[in-house]
Structure formats: C-alpha cells, structure tokens
Amino acid sequence: MTAAAKVRVGIIGPGKVAREHLAPALVASRNCCVWSVLGNRESATRDFATAFSANSSRPYFTDLDAFLADPMLEGVIVATADSAHAAIALKCIGRGIRSEEHTSELQSLRH
C-alpha cells in the first residue's frame, strides 16, 4: 500500500517513547504511515522525521499551529509530557484531527 493510501499520522513529541515504540509501530503498519513530526528542537525533529521516513512534503515542524494546518494530516499521536496532552488534544479537536495518547492502541496497527 502506498503512503497516499494509508492513514497519515503525525507524531507530536519525538522523544524516547516515540522513537522506541510509536514510530516503529507506524512504520510496520499496513494501514498507517508517519506523515509528519512536531518537536521543540528543529534539528532533532528533522532527524526523527528522516529516520522514520515521514512522508509529508514538509515532514517536520516546531510550531503546533503550522503542523495542524496540513490538510493531508489525518491523525496525531501525542507523545509529550502528560501535562501538555489536554491543550494539544483541544487544538486537534478544533481542527477536526483525531488524537491518541496511548501506545496500546498502536498494537492493533501491526495487524
């Protein structure tokens, strides 16, 4: 399945959990792909997007509003500190983008 046919998922917070669990699950998925990445540090976010072959023509961001403005983005996984989840989820809802905060849901993506 091509990236265009898969659900395009952005990752917010390219830290250890995202690197070791979330992004690999998306890469292994037949149904989803890493579309873009949002992080605080541009170079680390760019490196993460490159390492996991983010498919967007603009694969990394440091600004949440710019990240969520991508009309091709279909969902996001929030992998930030717990204290930031609510504010990020509300912004996603405002844009009509589904957000998930838990890694357990990603196990089903592998099948």
Side-chain angles (χ1 to χ4, degrees):
M1 183 179 289
T2 66
K6 293 182 175 187
V7 176
R8 296 175 296 273
V9 179
I11 296 174
I12 300 177
K16 182 177 180 178
V17 170
R19 180 173 298 281
E20 293 181 4
H21 302 284
L22 304 174
L26 288 172
V27 169
S29 171
R30 290 179 284 145
N31 302 313
C32 301
C33 68
V34 176
W35 182 249
S36 56
V37 182
L38 171 71
N40 291 328
R41 296 176 305 155
E42 185 174 356
S43 63
T45 305
R46 180 184 59 241
D47 292 347
F48 185 99
T50 300
F52 291 101
S53 303
N55 287 276
S56 174
S57 60
R58 185 171 176 199
Y60 64 93
F61 296 83
T62 57
D63 178 78
L64 178 60
D65 290 324
F67 172 80
L68 294 176
D70 180 352
M72 300 290 287
L73 182 65
E74 296 178 290
V76 301
I77 299 172
V78 181
T80 62
D82 290 345
S83 60
H85 287 191
I88 292 169
L90 288 172
K91 284 226 175 197
C92 292
I93 290 167
R95 298 283 181 128
I97 299 171
R98 181 184 166 125
S99 67
E100 289 291 339
E101 301 175 26
H102 306 286
T103 60
S104 60
E105 284 87 3
L106 288 177
Q107 297 306 315
S108 64
L109 297 177
R110 293 182 184 223
H111 305 290

